[in-house]
Amino acid sequence: DQDSIENYIQQLQNLETRFMLSPNRKQVAIWIQNRFESVGCQLVKIDSFQTHTQIPVNGIYYDTITWQYNVSAIMPGASNPDQIVIIGGHYDCFTNNDPMTLAPGADDNGSSVAAIFELARVFNAMGYQPNKTLHFVALGAEELMYYSSQSGAGDYAERCVQNGDDVLLYINNDMIANEPENENWILDVMLHDLDVWTTLLTTDLTNKYTSLEPT
């Protein structure tokens, strides 16, 4: 629903900043947890992890260790609950101005978080029960992953390995509202050498059910 998507993105912008070093980072994670619950998700949790971040911003050099947070909503599978499909995207944002006070990130990456909320809402509204377990995941600490000792995706992957999870597929959404100047919307599908099948399937479904142009 277009109104739902726009509403989620606006609410994410209203948080003013989702910068990973901002003091409100735990409150942002709790807000995301509440949104998952508001769309009908019953198994929602916040996982915390530490990361050491070193980065210069506007003449200030940040060298700090912080707690960061991933938020996940789990929809158990009916016939194959031990097999997992993950749909995720990062919720943190960064700007070159003053990210401590303003980093609203509508496109990067509020658009993807909004899509995850909407998928969860529609599936719950339909009473849909997947055969395999679905994880809807909003990841923290991704924008500065190259300046930090740990990212949200890295922590989530490590937990899956430690738990012995049978992860079949991870779909990462990033900047899905990135409209080019000529307004010719495309779907940029990034090919992974280990998962050509998923790329081909995505391209086929895009051609079949949407007006988007996959590249």
Side-chain angles (χ1 to χ4, degrees), residues 30-50:
I30 293 173
W31 182 89
I32 293 173
Q33 178 187 32
N34 292 336
R35 293 290 75 72
F36 273 131
E37 292 173 347
S38 73
V39 299
C41 296
Q42 298 182 3
L43 301 176
V44 186
K45 65 177 182 176
I46 296 177
D47 289 318
S48 59
F49 61 95
Q50 278 191 326

Side-chain angles (χ1 to χ4, degrees), residues 45 74 81-86 133 135 156-168:
K45 65 177 182 176
I74 299 172
D82 292 335
Q83 295 181 326
I84 298 172
V85 172
I86 304 172
T133 296
H135 288 200
Y156 204 87
E158 288 177 4
R159 289 173 188 264
C160 288
V161 172
Q162 292 169 2
N163 296 334
D165 292 338
D166 184 12
V167 178
L168 303 181

Side-chain angles (χ1 to χ4, degrees), residues 28-206:
V28 171
I30 293 173
W31 182 89
I32 293 173
Q33 178 187 32
N34 292 336
R35 293 290 75 72
F36 273 131
E37 292 173 347
S38 73
V39 299
C41 296
Q42 298 182 3
L43 301 176
V44 186
K45 65 177 182 176
I46 296 177
D47 289 318
S48 59
F49 61 95
Q50 278 191 326
T51 187
H52 181 199
T53 306
Q54 297 173 294
I55 184 174
V57 179
N58 294 329
I60 301 175
Y61 185 74
Y62 293 94
D63 185 347
T64 182
I65 296 175
T66 56
W67 284 101
Q68 300 294 330
Y69 309 95
N70 290 332
V71 189
S72 59
I74 299 172
M75 184 175 289
S79 57
N80 297 291
D82 292 335
Q83 295 181 326
I84 298 172
V85 172
I86 304 172
I87 304 172
H90 74 88
Y91 66 83
D92 62 310
C93 181
F94 177 74
T95 65
N96 289 318
N97 297 316
D98 184 7
M100 283 291 190
T101 58
L102 186 63
D107 176 30
D108 189 9
N109 195 28
S111 59
S112 298
V113 177
I116 296 168
F117 288 156
E118 184 65 353
L119 282 171
R121 184 191 72 81
V122 171
F123 284 177
N124 281 301
M126 292 172 57
Y128 173 71
Q129 187 172 19
N131 291 326
K132 301 171 177 60
T133 296
L134 294 181
H135 288 200
F136 300 103
V137 184
L139 299 164
E142 287 292 290
E143 283 290 89
L144 300 184
M145 62 185 298
Y146 297 115
Y147 301 93
S148 303
S149 60
Q150 182 65 293
S151 68
D155 181 76
Y156 204 87
E158 288 177 4
R159 289 173 188 264
C160 288
V161 172
Q162 292 169 2
N163 296 334
D165 292 338
D166 184 12
V167 178
L168 303 181
L169 175 67
Y170 172 66
I171 299 174
N172 184 68
N173 296 291
D174 199 87
M175 297 177 67
I176 65 173
N178 186 9
E179 181 181 3
E181 293 182 1
N182 61 10
E183 298 185 1
N184 181 27
W185 286 86
I186 62 172
L187 178 64
D188 188 5
V189 183
M190 296 185 179
L191 174 65
H192 195 293
D193 292 341
L194 298 179
D195 198 10
V196 176
W197 177 85
T198 302
T199 304
L200 295 176
L201 176 64
T202 302
T203 301
D204 180 63
L205 294 176
T206 302

